[in-house]
Amino acid sequence: MWTFSHSNLRLLTLLCSHFLSAVLSTLFSPTCQLQGQFHLSGMHKAGDVVFGGLFEGHFFSVFPDLSFTSNFDVLGFRQAQTMAFAIDEINRNSNLLPNVTLGYSLYDNCVKLSIGFRAALTLANGQDEQITLNETCVGSPPVVGIVGDSSSTRSIAISAVLGLYRVPMVSYFATCSCLSDRQKFPSFFRTIPSDAFQVHAMIQILKHFGWTWMGLLVSDDDYGLHAARSFQSDLGPSGGGCLAYLEVLPWSNDPTEIQRIVGVMKKSTARVVIVFAHETNMINLMEEVVRQHVTGLQWMASEAWTAATVLHTPQFMPYLGGTLGIAIRRGEIPGLKNFLLQIRPDLHHNTSYGNSMVNQFWEFMFRCRFAPPPAGWVEAGGALCTGEEDLENVETEFLDVSNLRPEYNVYKAVYALAYALDDLLHCEPGRGPFKGHSCSSVQRLEPWQLVYSLEKVNFTTPFGDQVSFDENGDALPVYDVMNWISLPDGGAEVLTVGEVKGSASKGDELILDEDKIFWNFESNQSPRSVCSEDCPPGTRLVRKKGKPVCCFDCVPCPKGKITNKTNSMECISCPEDFWSSPQRDHCVPKKTEFLSYHEPLGICLTTASLLGTFICVVVLGIFFHYRRTPIVRANNSELSFQLLLSLKLCFLCSLLFIGRPRLWTCQLRHAAFGISFVLCVSCILVKTMVVLAVFKASKPGGEASLKWFGVMQQRGTVLVLTSIQAAICTAWLVSASPSPHKNTQYHIDKIIYECVVGSTIGFAVLLGYIGLLAILSFLIAFLARNLPDNFNEAKLITFSMLIFCAVWVAFVPAYISSPGKYADAVEVFAILASSFGLLVALFGPKCYIILLHKPHS
């Protein structure tokens, strides 16, 4: 955006009308008549080829005839002298532009657009009263290139016009990124990096220190407004930061507006303040900062005020101490100080505007006036200048060449023009780059030819810096990082603490020496400037509605999800076999649950199983020892031994339900359980039928019933009934075998290891077959319950089968409703309860008789 005032627009209209008049006059006359002269302060030196320059010699111009106040800019004058020194050095260099003498024509722009524009037009047109044209238009222009301007706004206006005629303009201080637009400014070059890179450099510093929440203050001109646009577009995607506020500093001293801006700064939680403005803006701002006593801020300075010594005062330094700033690359120019000491005023042309800058400088430095002095000057005690005054006797920053920054850019700009011109003049005839392979010469030199050569220029300064221009006319970007160190006397020392370099291959490279940085805080450490603290691992970032992206809440991840990075936007689910840690920052294997030998329940069931097995062994031993007694031999002792063996297997098969499920244990547990219990119930069924057969045989005519219940028939019945269960188990295992399974449905945070039955029908047939035999045994025993006492085993069988059926009837709903390992525990408990019931009911009374009544064989 161009920030022209109405008066400047009127001036431009007037100037363009002069141009139009000049053009129209050439249509009807072979001569060009100068329409008017601008009275400008400047310095001039004749040469074969002349370079122009625009510098800040005075702060303001207040008189209509463009005479000047005493607001002389010493540093601006030093920059102009640097250009004069560079041209003098080139003229003495036999390797660069031999046989060509360079001259210069330097003008003071007075820090005003109107004057700077007049000066640029004067350089482009020349000051000759009349120019006679010939048919070939042969001749050299007044200047072939211009070094300047220092302001982005003035450079935009001047280059927009000069670019129409392809007059090269090499700025040493205009940083607006808009000047990189080659369509609008085709002949503009600069030796200072663009603000786009300066913004990138500042973002690199912000990222380095983790500052994501900052305020931005900009000046109300092209320099500040374009910087604001760059920050807004680049800060978010590349820097990960946000602007807490963006304020435009007024050019005029507007106390109300400045007070409002400082109030915004005071209320904001941002601890870092970036200022893209000029010294005058900062002076007005800091006066209000001091008045409101706004402390605890970390200031970041653009290159426009990083080296502003006017701010190094005891009034401002308690607030500005520790400021980090971007500064133009410092360079060394050997011989410049001696050149400055040789400056002498022009005593013979003091009244001429043409070479007045040196004389005005001399009057400012020594507080004197050249003859004839202004009216009343001598009477008021003013001194007259003699021209013999010695600069070495004056304490001034003009002679301090230890920190040359803008001057170094001026030096590089002059040499860039010189090397471009040298390249043009070394052209071989017939092999030139222009039409018909022609070359240029001093006599036929055109500014657009120098533009062509500038685009290819590439050289290295004595300080070791490479100078070249990219396709946009921008120099290789490099900045120094500066730090303001508070001194005991209230002043400041500005130290270089790093640098930022731009590279097409590596990107922006920041180098900082943090040990040298002075922090203006009690902790003497880098401040923390964030809108919201980083979301730690285990939480996700949720934007605050209506707030910048840097302001957010941290929400813990839900169970089963984690984040292992800072500021994660989403939580990720853990794999199926994993669960989130308590901190939700990593996944841990889920706890596995099964009926283990190491837990109390598993230990109790294992103990009961082994105890039942041991009792079976003991009873078996007792029966074997008393095998010849009537009570053992009664009702087929072989069946009693088979029954004890099957009960032992029933107790042992329960151990297959304890421990981590594996394929073989899953397949074996139900088969062993089903076959063992069928063997047990088959023996009981046969024993019951034998009791009834013996009772019938004891009656007259009942002997025939025993022939169907001999020993072989008993064995065969038990074998057949057991084989049917074995066939059921075999078919089940072959068709749909039970297998281990990780069940995550019962508990989302743990894995239940269990054995799935594979075929529910197979499992139901297995249990149903056992139930059928048990019910059959119970019914037969129930029918024989009223037999005489000598046939009382039927009563024992009835009681035992009643216990057995009750246990397994209760098992079914308990098994279905029990999750995980408790289903196995219920099944084990049913096996043990029914086994103990059978063991105690059938063999308890007999053992009691055998052991206590000692029956005789």
Side-chain angles (χ1 to χ4, degrees):
M1 179 182 292
W2 293 10
T3 55
F4 297 153
S5 65
H6 292 294
S7 61
N8 290 333
L9 286 173
R10 287 196 300 269
L11 173 63
L12 288 177
T13 304
L14 177 62
L15 293 172
C16 290
S17 67
H18 282 305
F19 264 116
L20 183 59
S21 299
V23 171
L24 291 175
S25 66
T26 60
L27 295 176
F28 304 102
S29 173
T31 63
C32 287
Q33 189 73 30
L34 191 65
Q35 300 298 307
Q37 284 190 336
F38 300 131
H39 295 163
L40 301 167
S41 176
M43 300 189 306
H44 304 275
K45 180 179 180 179
D48 300 329
V49 178
V50 178
F51 291 162
L54 298 173
F55 298 92
E56 297 178 358
H58 292 79
F59 294 132
F60 304 102
S61 174
V62 295
F63 300 113
D65 63 348
L66 301 183
S67 56
F68 302 93
T69 70
S70 61
N71 295 314
F72 194 84
D73 189 345
V74 174
L75 297 183
F77 180 71
R78 186 172 70 183
Q79 294 162 16
Q81 288 295 326
T82 303
M83 180 171 178
F85 166 77
I87 289 178
D88 182 69
E89 188 177 64
I90 293 169
N91 287 335
R92 290 184 280 107
N93 188 344
S94 59
N95 297 320
L96 182 61
L97 293 174
N99 303 320
V100 176
T101 301
L102 292 180
Y104 56 79
S105 185
L106 313 180
Y107 285 118
D108 179 7
N109 59 34
C110 296
V111 201
K112 290 181 71 70
L113 173 60
S114 57
I115 299 176
F117 201 88
R118 294 177 185 184
L121 295 181
T122 299
L123 290 173
N125 291 332
Q127 291 283 62
D128 294 337
E129 292 288 342
Q130 182 173 312
I131 301 174
T132 302
L133 301 179
N134 55 30
E135 295 180 357
T136 59
C137 293
V138 174
S140 297
V143 295
V144 295
I146 298 175
V147 175
D149 192 289
S150 59
S151 161
S152 293
T153 297
R154 294 191 296 271
S155 294
I156 291 171
I158 296 169
S159 185
V161 175
L162 297 186
L164 299 174
Y165 306 99
R166 297 300 189 270
V167 177
M169 182 174 176
V170 185
S171 176
Y172 54 91
F173 213 66
T175 59
C176 181
S177 57
C178 60
L179 287 164
S180 298
D181 187 344
R182 227 52 185 152
Q183 295 296 322
K184 295 181 179 179
F185 312 104
S187 62
F188 181 82
F189 299 84
R190 52 184 159 191
T191 54
I192 186 172
S194 162
D195 278 339
F197 178 72
Q198 185 174 186
V199 169
H200 292 163
M202 285 191 169
I203 290 176
Q204 289 293 318
I205 297 174
L206 295 173
K207 291 173 64 176
H208 179 82
F209 291 110
W211 297 332
T212 59
W213 188 235
M214 68 289 299
L216 177 62
L217 307 178
V218 299
S219 56
D220 189 11
D221 58 5
D222 295 290
Y223 173 72
L225 297 177
H226 279 277
R229 291 195 195 99
S230 297
F231 257 108
Q232 288 176 315
S233 61
D234 297 346
L235 187 59
S238 64
C242 305
L243 293 179
Y245 53 86
L246 169 59
E247 299 291 341
V248 179
L249 298 173
W251 269 111
S252 61
N253 187 11
D254 186 347
T256 303
E257 178 64 9
I258 294 177
Q259 184 178 1
R260 184 193 66 81
I261 293 173
V262 175
V264 171
M265 297 166 55
K266 191 173 184 179
K267 293 177 182 178
S268 175
T269 57
R271 298 293 89 198
V272 175
V273 180
I274 305 168
V275 184
F276 259 85
H278 307 278
E279 296 179 21
T280 53
N281 301 115
M282 283 302 299
I283 293 173
N284 297 333
L285 175 69
M286 290 311 300
E287 288 176 349
E288 183 62 26
V289 167
V290 172
R291 194 186 70 81
Q292 295 193 27
H293 192 61
V294 182
T295 59
L297 297 180
Q298 174 63 48
W299 296 84
M300 289 189 68
S302 67
E303 104 291 333
W305 65 279
T306 293
T309 56
V310 69
L311 298 172
H312 299 171
T313 65
Q315 179 189 10
F316 295 154
M317 282 311 297
Y319 302 88
L320 290 176
T323 295
L324 288 175
I326 298 294
I328 304 168
R329 174 76 164 177
R330 186 189 71 84
E332 293 181 3
I333 306 177
L336 177 61
K337 185 172 183 178
N338 291 333
F339 181 84
L340 297 178
L341 289 171
Q342 295 172 7
I343 294 175
R344 289 294 180 269
D346 187 351
L347 300 178
H348 303 289
H349 300 85
N350 181 45
T351 59
S352 171
Y353 283 106
N355 290 284
S356 58
M357 279 186 72
V358 175
N359 290 10
Q360 292 162 1
F361 163 74
W362 205 264
E363 290 180 342
F364 176 79
M365 291 298 295
F366 297 104
R367 301 295 185 268
C368 62
R369 288 292 184 269
F370 285 99
W377 174 260
V378 177
E379 290 78 0
L384 293 177
C385 299
T386 64
E388 300 300 324
E389 292 85 358
D390 191 352
L391 283 173
E392 287 190 290
N393 296 331
V394 181
E395 187 176 345
T396 173
E397 59 182 340
F398 177 74
L399 297 175
D400 182 9
V401 295
S402 62
N403 192 32
L404 299 176
R405 296 182 186 276
E407 294 82 1
Y408 187 48
N409 281 348
V410 172
Y411 184 79
K412 291 188 290 185
V414 175
Y415 266 89
L417 288 171
Y419 273 103
L421 179 59
D422 185 68
D423 181 65
L424 283 178
L425 299 182
H426 277 83
C427 172
E428 296 182 18
R431 303 181 64 179
F434 307 119
K435 185 177 180 180
H437 301 289
S438 62
C439 293
S440 182
S441 66
V442 175
Q443 293 76 24
R444 303 177 64 92
L445 187 61
E446 297 289 341
W448 63 266
Q449 296 172 334
L450 199 62
V451 173
Y452 169 82
S453 188
L454 270 172
E455 292 172 347
K456 302 186 299 177
V457 76
N458 193 332
F459 65 95
T460 302
T461 68
F463 193 59
D465 289 329
Q466 183 182 1
V467 179
S468 63
F469 302 104
D470 63 14
E471 65 276 6
N472 297 319
D474 293 327
L476 293 174
V478 57
Y479 275 115
D480 289 339
V481 181
M482 314 303 292
N483 182 225
W484 290 19
I485 299 177
S486 298
L487 300 178
D489 61 358
E493 180 182 4
V494 182
L495 290 183
T496 302
V497 294
E499 67 178 12
V500 188
K501 290 183 178 180
S503 170
S505 58
K506 299 181 180 179
D508 298 345
E509 181 182 1
L510 172 65
I511 301 173
L512 278 180
D513 188 351
E514 293 191 46
D515 294 335
K516 292 183 178 180
I517 298 178
F518 167 74
W519 301 107
N520 194 27
F521 302 96
E522 292 183 1
S523 63
N524 197 27
Q525 293 181 346
S526 168
R528 184 86 173 146
S529 186
V530 296
C531 181
S532 300
E533 292 294 336
D534 290 337
C535 289
T539 62
R540 66 183 179 92
L541 185 149
V542 178
R543 306 290 187 194
K544 289 184 178 180
K545 189 175 181 179
K547 298 286 185 179
V549 295
C550 295
C551 302
F552 47 80
D553 293 318
C554 299
V555 178
C557 290
K559 294 181 179 180
K561 293 187 175 182
I562 62 131
T563 59
N564 54 10
K565 296 180 180 178
T566 302
N567 293 336
S568 295
M569 297 297 296
E570 296 293 338
C571 298
I572 57 176
S573 299
C574 289
E576 184 179 2
D577 292 348
F578 290 81
W579 191 247
S580 56
S581 64
Q583 296 78 22
R584 309 285 198 274
D585 57 356
H586 67 282
C587 292
V588 296
K590 287 183 178 179
K591 293 181 180 179
T592 57
E593 185 177 275
F594 53 87
L595 189 58
S596 171
Y597 289 107
H598 305 291
E599 60 180 303
L601 180 59
I603 293 173
C604 291
L605 294 176
T606 302
T607 303
S609 175
L610 295 177
L611 178 62
T613 304
F614 176 73
I615 295 174
C616 286
V617 172
V618 171
V619 173
L620 187 62
I622 293 173
F623 268 53
F624 181 78
H625 186 267
Y626 294 100
R627 64 186 179 279
R628 301 187 184 279
T629 59
I631 195 170
V632 174
R633 294 174 62 186
N635 198 9
N636 195 343
S637 60
E638 183 177 339
L639 284 177
S640 297
F641 283 113
Q642 288 180 1
L643 182 57
L644 284 171
L645 180 62
S646 64
L647 285 174
K648 180 181 176 182
L649 293 177
C650 289
F651 282 117
L652 289 175
C653 78
S654 65
L655 296 177
L656 294 174
F657 292 83
I658 306 174
R660 188 185 188 93
R662 292 178 173 82
L663 180 61
W664 69 272
T665 58
C666 289
Q667 292 176 336
L668 188 59
R669 62 167 60 172
H670 289 106
F673 153 70
I675 294 173
S676 299
F677 267 87
V678 165
L679 178 61
C680 177
V681 176
S682 298
C683 292
I684 294 174
L685 177 61
V686 172
K687 285 177 73 69
T688 307
M689 295 172 65
V690 169
V691 170
L692 285 175
V694 171
F695 174 71
K696 289 182 179 182
S698 64
K699 294 181 178 181
E703 294 85 357
S705 61
L706 285 176
K707 67 179 182 179
W708 300 105
F709 292 97
V711 175
M712 293 302 297
Q713 286 82 358
Q714 296 176 23
R715 292 174 183 171
T717 303
V718 172
L719 180 60
V720 170
L721 294 176
T722 305
S723 297
I724 293 174
Q725 183 72 307
I728 293 173
C729 292
T730 302
W732 180 19
L733 295 176
V734 171
S735 61
S737 175
S739 60
H741 172 65
K742 296 178 181 180
N743 192 326
T744 58
Q745 302 302 315
Y746 293 136
H747 301 283
I748 58 175
D749 61 340
K750 62 177 66 174
I751 298 175
I752 306 298
Y753 274 98
E754 60 183 8
C755 289
V756 292
V757 294
S759 173
T760 306
I761 295 176
F763 186 51
V765 171
L766 181 143
L767 290 178
Y769 183 64
I770 296 175
L772 177 64
L773 295 180
I775 292 173
L776 186 60
S777 298
F778 173 74
L779 291 176
I780 295 175
F782 182 76
L783 293 175
R785 70 187 185 284
N786 293 323
L787 295 178
D789 290 341
N790 53 342
F791 298 98
N792 63 354
E793 190 170 11
K795 296 180 180 179
L796 300 178
I797 292 174
T798 301
F799 182 67
S800 66
M801 294 314 298
L802 184 62
I803 297 173
F804 184 88
C805 291
V807 169
W808 286 102
V809 168
F811 159 76
V812 175
Y815 180 82
I816 294 175
S817 61
S818 298
K821 66 178 182 180
Y822 297 104
D824 291 335
V826 167
E827 191 166 358
V828 172
F829 180 80
I831 293 173
L832 294 177
S834 57
S835 298
F836 273 111
L838 294 175
L839 180 62
V840 173
L842 293 176
F843 294 98
K846 294 181 179 181
C847 290
Y848 173 78
I849 294 172
I850 292 173
L851 295 177
L852 297 182
H853 293 276
K854 300 292 183 180
H856 300 287
S857 54

